[in-house]
Amino acid sequence: MRRKRVIGNWKMNGGLAANAALLDELLPSLAVLQGVDLAVCPPFPYLAQVAARLEGSDVALGAQNLNVATKGAFTGEVGGGMLKELGCRYVLVGHSERRSLFGECDEVVAEKFASALKAGLVPVLCIGETQTQRRQGQTEQVVSAQLQAVLRRAGIQGIAAGVIAYEPVWAIGTGETASPEQAQAVHRHIRALLGEFDRARAEATPILYGGSVKADNAQALFAQPDIDGGLIGGASLEAAAFAAICQAAAR
C-alpha cells in the first residue's frame, strides 16, 4: 500500500517574514494528519530558515534543483551533498521550468537524478508533455522518453528509490487541470512502463500529480488508483489551500 505524499514547490517566492508567517499558520493544521508524507521546497536562500522551523514536525525539507557535480568551479550552483547537510530529504529534478527555461535535456535530468541518489537524497523526477504534444497525441511518447532516459542512467532500482511527478506542462500555473481520468491514464501508463522492468518496484513507486492542483479538485485526483499525491505549486504558498490539499491526501 503506497502512502500518499504532498510536496509543496515554492518556486522563486518567499521571504524571511513571509516564510515564517506561512509556516506558523500551516504547521499546526498539518500536525494532526496521519498516513501522508509531507514536504516543502523553498528557494535555496531560505533552506536553513525553513529547516529550523520544520524541526520537530513531520514535514520534510526539499530543494528545487541541484548540480550534477558534488563541488567545484560552478559559480551559482549547489551540490547534493550541500543540500543533504542542510537537512533536505527531497530534491526536484527535471521540472518543466528547468527544461524549458534553462535548457535541461533528458540526459542532464538523468544525471541530476543519479547525483541526488548518490548524495542520499530522494529525487522527485518531473515529467510531462506540452499542450502541443498532447494535441498531437504524443503524451505517452514524451513521458516515456523522459522516463527512459533516467532508467538508462539509474536503472529501475534507482527510479524506485525516488518519486515520479507527472506534471502536464499545459496545466502548470495556467488554471487548467487534467481531469482525474486524464491524469490517471498517464499515471497508469508510467506504472506499466516501469512494470516492464520490475513489477514489484513499479507497484511500490510513488507517482504524484502536479498541475494546478487545488483544494477543490485534490480529492478527486488523489482518489485515482495510480495517483499517490501531488506536487503543488502556487497553492503551496497559501496555508489554508495547502492544508486542504494535504487533508485530501490523508483521507
Side-chain angles (χ1 to χ4, degrees), residues 28-102:
S29 60
L30 300 185
V32 299
L33 299 183
Q34 296 182 345
V36 58
D37 293 331
L38 306 172
V40 293
C41 301
F44 287 144
Y46 304 124
L47 285 172
Q49 177 205 16
V50 174
R53 184 62 184 87
L54 295 180
E55 190 171 351
S57 79
D58 291 327
V59 182
L61 182 67
Q64 299 176 18
N65 188 31
L66 81 165
N67 191 272
V68 170
T70 57
K71 62 180 180 179
F74 304 101
T75 300
E77 293 297 299
V78 174
M82 299 173 181
L83 301 177
K84 182 72 172 179
E85 188 174 37
L86 278 173
C88 288
R89 179 182 177 193
Y90 296 97
V91 61
L92 309 183
V93 296
H95 191 280
S96 66
E97 291 157 5
R98 297 299 312 174
R99 295 176 189 264
S100 65
L101 299 177
F102 301 98

Side-chain angles (χ1 to χ4, degrees), residues 141-230:
Q141 177 184 344
V142 169
V143 299
S144 294
Q146 293 170 338
L147 189 55
Q148 286 166 345
V150 181
L151 282 165
R152 286 193 296 270
R153 179 62 180 84
I156 184 62
Q157 69 276 12
I159 287 283
V163 175
I164 297 172
Y166 168 59
E167 293 197 306
V169 179
W170 49 270
I172 298 175
T174 64
E176 287 191 67
T177 307
S179 70
E181 294 75 21
Q182 287 175 318
Q184 164 59 21
V186 181
H187 281 237
R188 182 175 60 243
H189 169 74
I190 293 168
R191 203 174 303 282
L193 192 155
L194 297 180
E196 295 175 7
F197 296 86
D198 188 315
R199 183 169 296 180
R201 284 191 167 112
E203 286 300 318
T205 300
I207 308 176
L208 313 182
Y209 173 76
S212 296
V213 178
K214 296 181 174 60
D216 59 1
N217 62 21
Q219 190 167 356
L221 286 163
F222 298 164
Q224 300 300 310
D226 288 299
I227 298 180
D228 303 316

